Amino acid sequence: MSSSFGQVFRISTWGESHGTGVGVVIDGCPSLVPVTEEDIQRELDRRRPGQSDIVTPRREEDRAEILSGVLDGKTLGTPIAISVRNKASTYRPSHADYTYDAKYGIRAWAGGGRASARETIGRVAAGAVARAVLKQAFPDMEVIAWVDQVHHVKASVDWEAVTASVIESNIVRTADSSAAEAMIA
């Protein structure tokens, strides 16, 4: 899997699960877009583990820090670097180690290196910045997403009528509240 995505708005994620930290560098973001650490943190809080019985019980703070590319709450038009320092440093047997070893031929003691779900932190942070860019360009547009299918349970959704509040009303984050229980099961 590549660590870089996009052409005009390009992101490159970095870091390992139990290394010093994880994060993203975003290149191609226009200047003067309002972005704060709080905007990014709001999205990181949504992906954080330990929120319900259907996700891993680990508790990780995942605090975003903007290292460059933003000044006084506005983008500069230069690359944006966002970092999340890792708190955990304890080796966990089998935590993505086999996957990493099979793919790269390296037993990565730092939690499976890039094979960990913590790698998504950079993607989520970049998504928060992309959301701010879209909000500035298209103020009336709302970008939402939901879980559409879990195993054989498929949501039935009127995509023109779905709202963020419906999606956030269940722990699966599906837009079909009647399918949520079956998805959880």
Side-chain angles (χ1 to χ4, degrees), residues 7 12 17 36 56 76 83-84 124 127 142 146 156 162 167 182-183:
Q7 298 299 317
S12 295
S17 178
T36 65
T56 181
L76 299 173
S83 175
V84 173
V124 170
E142 181 182 23
W146 60 86
S156 176
V162 69
I167 295 164
M183 289 180 174

Side-chain angles (χ1 to χ4, degrees), residues 140-171:
D140 296 331
M141 182 175 72
E142 181 182 23
V143 177
I144 58 175
W146 60 86
V147 173
D148 191 58
Q149 185 169 347
V150 174
H151 191 50
H152 65 275
V153 181
K154 183 154 176 47
S156 176
V157 179
D158 176 359
W159 61 270
E160 290 182 354
V162 69
T163 63
S165 61
V166 169
I167 295 164
E168 295 297 325
S169 71
N170 60 78
I171 62 175

Side-chain angles (χ1 to χ4, degrees), residues 11 13 23-24 26 39-48 82 117-131:
I11 71 166
T13 61
V24 66
I26 305 163
D39 297 331
I40 296 162
Q41 192 60 51
R42 184 173 30 263
E43 299 302 325
L44 289 179
D45 288 347
R46 292 184 72 243
R47 75 146 297 281
R48 188 175 52 225
I82 302 167
R118 285 188 65 71
E119 192 272 343
T120 64
I121 286 173
R123 297 167 198 273
V124 170
V129 174
R131 182 184 295 264

Side-chain angles (χ1 to χ4, degrees), residues 5-152:
F5 299 90
Q7 298 299 317
V8 176
F9 185 93
R10 185 165 184 79
I11 71 166
S12 295
T13 61
W14 54 268
E16 294 84 29
S17 178
H18 290 118
T20 303
V22 293
V24 66
V25 175
I26 305 163
D27 197 14
C29 184
S31 61
L32 302 175
V33 175
V35 174
T36 65
E37 286 180 354
E38 291 76 21
D39 297 331
I40 296 162
Q41 192 60 51
R42 184 173 30 263
E43 299 302 325
L44 289 179
D45 288 347
R46 292 184 72 243
R47 75 146 297 281
R48 188 175 52 225
Q51 296 184 46
S52 72
D53 292 336
I54 64 170
V55 298
T56 181
R58 284 189 329 275
R59 302 271 181 206
E60 296 164 334
E61 191 174 279
D62 298 343
R63 287 275 159 228
E65 179 183 5
I66 299 173
L67 303 178
S68 66
V70 177
L71 181 65
D72 297 328
K74 301 238 185 205
T75 59
L76 299 173
T78 59
I80 300 168
I82 302 167
S83 175
V84 173
R85 294 204 174 268
N86 290 331
K87 303 279 185 188
S89 60
T90 305
Y91 170 75
R92 288 184 287 188
S94 79
H95 178 72
D97 290 339
Y98 176 77
T99 305
Y100 205 78
D101 191 17
K103 185 169 184 177
Y104 299 106
I106 298 170
R107 180 129 193 269
W109 62 268
R114 300 287 292 166
S116 170
R118 285 188 65 71
E119 192 272 343
T120 64
I121 286 173
R123 297 167 198 273
V124 170
V129 174
R131 182 184 295 264
V133 170
L134 290 171
K135 182 174 181 156
Q136 184 178 50
F138 307 100
D140 296 331
M141 182 175 72
E142 181 182 23
V143 177
I144 58 175
W146 60 86
V147 173
D148 191 58
Q149 185 169 347
V150 174
H151 191 50
H152 65 275

